[in-house]
Amino acid sequence: MAAVNFVIIGYGGMGSYHEKNLMSSEKEKINLVGVYDILEERQEVARAKGLSTYESFEEVLADKRIEVVLIAVPNDLHKSMSIAALKAGKHVVCEKPATLNTEEFDEILAVAADTGNRFIVHQNRRWDPDFLIVRDLYQSQPIGSVFQIESRVNGANGIPGDWRHLKKHGGGMLLDWGIHLLDQMLWLVDSPIKDVQVDFSYVLGDEVDDGFISFITFENGIKAIVEVGTTNYVKLPRWYVKATEGTARIDDWDLSGEMVRAIQTSNETMPQPIQAGVGLTKTMAPPSEDATETLSLPKASAEYDSFYSNVYHVIRDDVTPIVKNTEVRNVLQLIEQMFEQEE
Ligand code: NAD
C-alpha cells in the first residue's frame, strides 16, 4: 500500500525533529510532502534542506495530496489548526499537549467524529526505553508487586524558548513535561485515580509553573510521585520503583541504574548496627550481603508498533491507535484537576 502523505506545520525544534529522525525511519510508510512555518527564516532552513514549503496554512489545506497534517506549533494553536485541518478533510497528528484543557479537546473530537477523520496525539514517550523497563518491572514483577513509582525529570536550564514562558500560549512545565510523565504513569498503572495533590514551583518568577511535584494515589492502591524541575543542578533518579521484594532505580535516559532484590535465606542474617551521623542505627543499616542480590535492569522493548507505523496502519488498515483519545483526555482531566488546586 502507498505511503501516507504528510505535511509538517511548524518547522521549529519538534517539527524538524519529526522530519529528521522519525520520518526518515519510516520511509516506506510516511511520505513527507512539505512543511509550513509562519517564520520565513524557518521556511528558508527547510528549503535549504531540500524540502518543499507552502506559502500559507490555507495552501496546505487546499493541497489534495496531503492526507495527514502534523501539527508542531505552540500549544495554544493546536485546537484551531487541528479543527481547520479535520474540516479540510485531513487526518491530524498533533503534538502534545493536544489542547490546553478537556473542553478544547472535546471540540476537536466532535469535529473528528463529524468528518470521520482521525485525530492522533503524539505521546511519543510511551516508547522511551527507560519507561519500557519500568513497564516490564510492573508487568513481569522480577522484584515482586510494584506499589510505589517515582518518575522525575530534572533540568537546570530554566524554561527554554519564548512561548513556553507565557500562559496564553499554554506554557509551563506541567503542560510541557508533566503531560509526558502523566501519560506514561496513567497508561502504565491503568487504574482510576483516587487522589491527587500537587505543589507548583515558581522559582524563576515566570507567570507559568517552572516545575511541580505531585502525589497520586490510584484506586488499585499504587502510589506515584511525578515531579518536574527546571532548577535542579543535582539530579534525582529518572525513576525509583519500590516493589514487595526489591527496589529499582533508573538514573537517566542512558539507562544506568540497578535493581536490588531480597533473597529468601534459611538462616536469617540480621543487619549489624552502624554509626549514622552522631547516632547508631540498625533500621537504616545496609542489609547483610547474603540477604540481597543486585541485578542488572531488564532489557525491555515495546511489544507494540512504533508511533508512525501505528499511524500508518490506523489510516490505511483502520487499526486501533496506540495512543487513544480517551487516554489523552484522562491525562488532560488530571492536569485540569491539578491546576484547580492552585486557585
Ligand atoms: P518551537 O518554538 O521550537 O517551534 C514552533 C514553530 O512553530 C516555530 O518555528 C514557529 O515559527 C512555528 N509557528 C508558530 N505559529 C505558527 C503558525 N501559525 N503557523 C505555522 N507555524 C507556526 O517549539 P517546539 O519546541 O518545536 O514545540 C512545538 C510543539 O511540539 C509544542 O506543542 C510542544 O509541546 C511539542 N513538543 C513535543 C515534544 C515531544 O517529545 N513530543 C518535544 C518538544 C516539543
Side-chain angles (χ1 to χ4, degrees), residues 9-15 18 36-39 42 57 71-75 77-78 81 95-97 122-125 162-164 175-176 180:
I9 306 299
Y11 194 62
M14 198 56 195
H18 277 293
Y36 168 63
D37 196 291
I38 202 162
L39 281 183
R42 294 305 303 164
F57 187 48
I71 308 234
V73 291
N75 301 341
L77 298 172
H78 292 181
M81 293 185 116
E95 262 310 335
K96 49 50 63 175
H122 186 233
Q123 290 296 164
N124 49 324
R125 294 197 175 277
D162 43 13
W163 60 266
R164 279 183 173 82
L175 282 169
D176 194 47
H180 278 306

Side-chain angles (χ1 to χ4, degrees), residues 127-262:
W127 285 263
D128 275 5
D130 55 287
F131 170 68
L132 293 171
I133 292 175
V134 173
R135 194 165 175 267
D136 184 72
L137 295 177
Y138 187 83
Q139 292 177 344
S140 314
Q141 306 198 345
I143 49 172
S145 175
V146 169
F147 61 87
Q148 183 171 315
I149 311 169
E150 301 182 17
S151 169
R152 293 187 172 82
V153 288
N154 293 157
N157 303 316
I159 300 177
D162 43 13
W163 60 266
R164 279 183 173 82
H165 293 262
L166 300 172
K167 223 175 217 163
K168 66 174 184 188
H169 292 307
M173 281 298 122
L174 178 55
L175 282 169
D176 194 47
W177 263 99
I179 194 126
H180 278 306
L181 303 195
L182 295 169
D183 178 71
Q184 289 178 332
M185 194 62 79
L186 265 58
W187 197 50
L188 174 72
V189 177
D190 194 22
S191 165
I193 290 171
K194 197 168 143 196
D195 185 55
V196 60
Q197 299 298 323
V198 65
D199 187 25
F200 290 96
S201 89
Y202 292 91
V203 181
L204 300 169
D206 277 295
E207 62 176 9
V208 295
D209 70 284
D210 50 52
F212 67 91
I213 179 162
S214 63
F215 301 88
I216 302 167
T217 308
F218 291 91
E219 277 181 12
N220 65 3
I222 293 186
K223 289 180 190 282
I225 297 178
V226 175
E227 183 177 3
V228 173
T230 52
T231 55
N232 300 63
Y233 292 86
V234 177
K235 283 185 174 197
L236 287 161
R238 171 72 187 84
W239 295 93
Y240 184 76
V241 180
K242 289 169 75 172
T244 47
E245 290 152 35
T247 306
R249 191 194 75 240
I250 305 178
D251 294 319
D252 219 327
W253 290 290
D254 65 3
L255 309 185
S256 57
E258 65 176 357
M259 188 163 84
V260 176
R261 182 166 61 187

Side-chain angles (χ1 to χ4, degrees), residues 63-105:
D63 185 343
K64 297 238 176 332
R65 294 172 301 165
I66 300 298
E67 296 174 272
V68 175
V69 175
L70 190 158
I71 308 234
V73 291
N75 301 341
D76 57 314
L77 298 172
H78 292 181
K79 185 190 98 172
S80 58
M81 293 185 116
S82 296
I83 288 179
L86 290 165
K87 284 187 173 166
K90 317 294 186 194
H91 304 288
V92 171
V93 169
C94 184
E95 262 310 335
K96 49 50 63 175
T99 53
L100 306 188
N101 52 50
T102 51
E103 198 183 322
E104 286 189 358
F105 190 66

